[in-house]
Amino acid sequence: MTAATFVRSWPSVSAWGAGLITAALGAGAIVRSDSGAVADGLGIGAVVLGLAALAWGGAVLSTGRLVVPRLALGGALASLLVVSALMFVTPAHTSILGVAAACVLLVVVGATVAVHLRRLRDGAPADRAAKPMSVVGLLVAAAVLSVIVTPALGATQDAVLMRDDGTVPVISHEGH
């Protein structure tokens, strides 16, 4: 297994992680009863961009190459802007951990795509043939990202549910 086949699975898995967090941040902005039009608009945009990242990650994994790289780079940049804007529009109910994790994963996707586009521009041969993904690379990427994405999703849920007094409701099943 070469380093290229090991690393090839990382952009798709990073896109999935970023997509899940971005969609969760967007959904959190939409469902709050006290969110305004700006928060709703950013939330809808974040959900759409998150779902697009999930689809792009699946397409990359299934084809073995970076698909629609310019569109993917634009999507990564737009997602960075939207999740960062959510932090300013609804700071009390947007998880900074969720935003930070999404930004890190989006930078991985964006940097990978930017390097790919740079190589194409510099005359490197276009990689049109699908190459197999490394199963080991995919498993390592999934394990690392689960350590990043799972806490970020939990923090995103807590931020959305946070009450005005700074507490998060706890559901208890005791006594039933």
Side-chain angles (χ1 to χ4, degrees):
M1 168 178 46
T2 66
T5 58
F6 180 78
V7 174
R8 194 170 293 118
S9 53
W10 285 78
S12 60
V13 178
S14 295
W16 287 340
L20 286 171
I21 298 169
T22 301
L25 288 166
I30 295 168
V31 299
R32 293 219 27 107
S33 60
D34 60 348
S35 65
V38 174
D40 285 345
L42 287 171
I44 291 168
V47 169
V48 169
L49 288 167
L51 294 175
L54 291 169
W56 183 83
V60 168
L61 189 63
S62 68
T63 62
R65 62 184 176 90
L66 298 178
V67 295
V68 292
R70 285 182 179 78
L71 186 61
L73 184 58
L77 291 173
S79 296
L80 280 168
L81 291 173
V82 168
V83 297
S84 298
L86 277 173
M87 196 68 217
F88 292 104
V89 172
T90 58
H93 298 290
T94 301
S95 166
I96 192 156
L97 177 62
V99 171
C103 287
V104 166
L105 296 173
L106 288 165
V107 166
V108 168
V109 172
T112 304
V113 173
V115 167
H116 174 75
L117 288 171
R118 176 86 184 230
R119 286 181 181 159
L120 289 178
R121 190 191 73 189
D122 290 344
D127 186 6
R128 302 217 183 267
K131 294 181 182 176
M133 295 288 178
S134 164
V135 173
V136 173
L138 186 60
L139 291 175
V140 170
V144 168
L145 287 174
S146 67
V147 170
I148 296 169
V149 173
T150 304
L153 290 174
T156 299
Q157 179 183 4
D158 288 347
V160 170
L161 296 176
M162 188 176 298
R163 297 179 181 148
D164 290 337
D165 63 359
T167 62
V168 177
V170 177
I171 298 172
S172 175
H173 298 286
E174 295 175 10
H176 290 308

